Amino acid sequence: MITLGEYIIEKQHDFPEATGELTLLLGAIRLAAKVVNREINKAGLVDIIGATGIENVQGEVQQKMDLYANDKFKAALEARGEVCGIASEEEDEFVSFDSTRGVNSKYVVLMDPLDGSSNIDVNVSVGTIFSIFKRVSPIGQPATLEDFLQPGIKQVAAGYVIYGSSTMLVYTTGNGVHGFTCDPSLGVFYLSHENMRIPEDGRTYSINEGNYLKFPNGVKKYLKFCQEIDTPSNRPYTSRYIGSLVSDFHRNLLTGGIYIYPSTASAPKGKLRLLYECNPMAFLIEQAGGRATDGYNRIMEIEPTELHQRIPFFCGSKNMVNDTDDFMAKYSG
């Protein structure tokens, strides 16, 4: 059995210019994930569930585990010294690591430390999402905003950790998508899903249908299409929505399907964050043979304008995303 650390080292030749830094960076993410996983597994036994009463920059009430996970990932990344700064969904601004080693580092990390954190209270799977870029500012100087406002096509690595019935770390460096399952008795991640591929067609759609009346016409028409009886195309499709992006994405990656979080009348720009959620998931899904768009444009080519930018998100099996693009173009203009 191959461990995550062994696999990363084995694949280091894919990035000769990294000279080990990327390996150490992914090692820091692995370490923080194990710490966060340990605390999540104590939910209900210690005081880590529930809201803090504090709102983040998006006006959302932070959960206790949001802040815990943010602190642990930030600390692990700073301690390894391979990152000059991080941007997080839980931070108002980016954080620059200004130590001598930090300012001489090549990379920045953007992250959603704990996606779906409110689900911890009801024992539903949650996750961590991360995205890694090479900095564009000069090495030897503090990180700048421009280091973080890069389009998704510039990512050098991305991935997520899902804390569920088993804990998995899934990542890509642009050479396929690989999954590692944690052995809880040893605390070691072992390679369990090499070169993961999403089926070109799926039979599952994941969307919060409670917002149906607020959806664009193209999304409404697509949902009716999904619900129609059509034997040649195996419709109707099945609706499966967990409410945790990592969980819904992971299921669709393994079995085929589409995840949709469109704009709504109350959130005309969409809700998910381009930098912390959509870019890394788009990188992963494309490497697995799927597609990700905002209903019209490839997610990875969107030029970010702000750290907490929100966009609509259509992600999953290639042919299903192609269909949503067609419906959006025909009915939503």
Side-chain angles (χ1 to χ4, degrees), residues 202-203 226 228 230-238:
R203 296 194 58 193
C226 291
E228 291 172 353
D230 184 68
T231 303
S233 61
N234 288 317
R235 286 182 286 138
Y237 299 149
T238 301

Side-chain angles (χ1 to χ4, degrees), residues 291 293 295-296 320-330:
R291 292 188 66 224
T293 76
Y296 305 97
M320 298 184 82
V321 177
N322 288 343
D323 286 341
T324 59
D325 285 354
D326 291 342
F327 275 92
M328 291 297 289
K330 183 174 181 179

Side-chain angles (χ1 to χ4, degrees), residues 154 241 272 304 312:
K154 298 290 187 180
Y241 184 69
L272 298 184

Side-chain angles (χ1 to χ4, degrees), residues 89 111-112 115 129-131 133 151-153 155 158 245 249 259 261 269-286 291-294 298-302 309-315:
E89 184 174 312
M111 61 183 180
D112 181 351
D115 170 73
I129 307 172
F130 62 90
S131 176
F133 290 85
I153 54 173
Q155 291 174 101
L245 170 59
F249 180 95
Y259 177 91
Y261 209 119
K269 293 183 179 179
K271 185 178 179 183
L272 298 184
R273 288 80 178 176
L274 172 61
L275 298 182
Y276 312 122
E277 296 163 318
C278 301
N279 265 342
M281 291 310 204
F283 191 15
L284 286 159
I285 207 68
E286 287 192 7
R291 292 188 66 224
T293 76
D294 65 356
R298 183 187 178 201
I299 293 292
M300 297 260 281
E301 294 178 349
I302 296 174
Q309 181 174 343
R310 299 174 187 255
I311 59 168
F313 193 49
F314 299 72
C315 176

